[in-house]
Amino acid sequence: MKIFLDTANLDQIREAASWGILDGVTTNPTLMSKENLKFEDLVREICKIVNGPVNVECVSTQSEDIVKEAKRHAKLAENVVVKIPICLEGLKATKVLSQEGIQVNTTLIFSPNQAFLAAKAGARYVSPFVGRLDDISHEGMDLVDQILVIFDNYGFETEVIVASIRHPLHVVEAALMGADIATIPFVVLEKMIKHPLTDVGMDRFLKDWSRVKKK
Ligand code: G3P
């Protein structure tokens, strides 16, 4: 399973890249609004650090405008993928963009039918938001499971990005289901490394090492 970092923060992206586990980045307007750099400069910087897809969201609402905005985003760097929220106008834009070779990540997916239609329209990725479904007492990971089955049934090449991840268990479940990608906030990524028994074990090894007879 590929790991994307769900952030627009350059320090977090540099740090995760240095761990050797980073396959891509997803951003959205909310994440962008937390940073100080101008939008275009920030996208260019992220794209320089990341050796993989960098997802940048469109905010236009009419298909012609979405296409224009997506093309502007795509010109910022070779590894830009445009995020388009699922809607009728977004589907129309996805069809045009995918035919022109611009990769689309259809975002804000909350139902299997939305993912199915996005894949039919040519989306390269779909992003089901599991945490936001959990927030309203729906089982977010069930949606991922259903999308994976549908894509497998019909041989869609569209990749599933598990998004709105809130804790390490979401990542485990995504990997067990065979999701293509998990896009993970930095705090969750840090938690994935930790285990109290590892800390205890390291502590004990260090203490015992100090008692080992050396030259
Ligand atoms: O990238 C979009 C998604 O991951 C948002 O997460 O926590 O705002 O639901 P959240």
Side-chain angles (χ1 to χ4, degrees):
M1 184 170 71
K2 284 174 266 186
I3 291 181
F4 287 6
L5 193 61
D6 196 25
T7 187
N9 184 276
L10 291 174
D11 292 336
Q12 291 180 351
I13 294 168
R14 280 193 199 99
E15 179 62 21
S18 78
W19 300 352
I21 49 87
L22 189 64
D23 299 303
V25 161
T26 51
T27 68
N28 61 37
T30 309
L31 295 170
M32 288 283 183
S33 72
K34 295 177 185 164
E35 307 305 319
N36 281 325
L37 282 182
K38 285 201 183 116
F39 170 77
E40 289 81 358
D41 296 337
L42 188 51
V43 172
R44 283 194 199 96
E45 272 313 301
I46 297 171
C47 288
K48 271 189 225 161
I49 304 166
V50 181
N51 188 16
V54 173
N55 290 255
V56 181
E57 192 146 341
C58 295
V59 292
S60 305
T61 52
Q62 296 305 304
S63 63
E64 296 81 6
D65 300 332
I66 298 172
V67 169
K68 280 185 206 148
E69 188 186 357
K71 286 182 177 174
R72 283 198 303 276
H73 291 349
K75 275 193 190 130
L76 292 172
E78 273 185 5
N79 48 341
V80 165
V81 169
V82 293
K83 275 175 94 174
I84 300 176
I86 181 72
C87 59
L88 265 181
E89 295 297 313
L91 280 182
K92 292 182 203 167
T94 300
K95 179 181 170 240
V96 174
L97 291 164
S98 63
Q99 282 172 352
E100 293 187 24
I102 293 176
Q103 298 195 335
V104 174
N105 169 1
T106 307
T107 190
L108 284 171
I109 295 280
F110 292 100
S111 81
N113 278 334
Q114 290 179 323
F116 177 45
L117 293 176
K120 299 254 326 170
R124 175 78 179 76
Y125 306 93
V126 290
S127 294
F129 275 33
V130 296
R132 293 192 195 182
L133 279 169
D134 291 352
D135 288 345
I136 58 159
S137 304
H138 286 246
E139 193 60 67
M141 291 309 300
D142 283 353
L143 170 61
V144 174
D145 196 34
Q146 289 172 329
I147 296 170
L148 288 170
V149 170
I150 292 168
F151 285 7
D152 189 49
N153 282 349
Y154 298 101
F156 284 113
E157 284 175 11
T158 308
E159 291 185 78
V160 178
I161 305 180
V162 180
S164 185
I165 281 179
R166 299 282 164 75
H167 49 71
L169 255 187
H170 274 147
V171 182
V172 174
E173 289 174 283
L176 287 172
M177 283 177 188
D180 303 282
I181 300 153
T183 187
I184 308 175
F186 190 76
V187 282
V188 176
L189 205 54
E190 283 181 314
K191 286 181 189 161
M192 287 165 61
I193 306 166
K194 292 265 172 203
H195 195 289
L197 288 179
T198 308
D199 296 341
V200 170
M202 278 174 72
D203 230 42
R204 194 178 299 161
F205 283 153
L206 282 177
K207 277 187 193 125
D208 291 345
W209 175 246
S210 70
R211 285 197 287 270
V212 172
K213 292 180 186 57
K214 302 168 193 94
K215 272 194 210 166

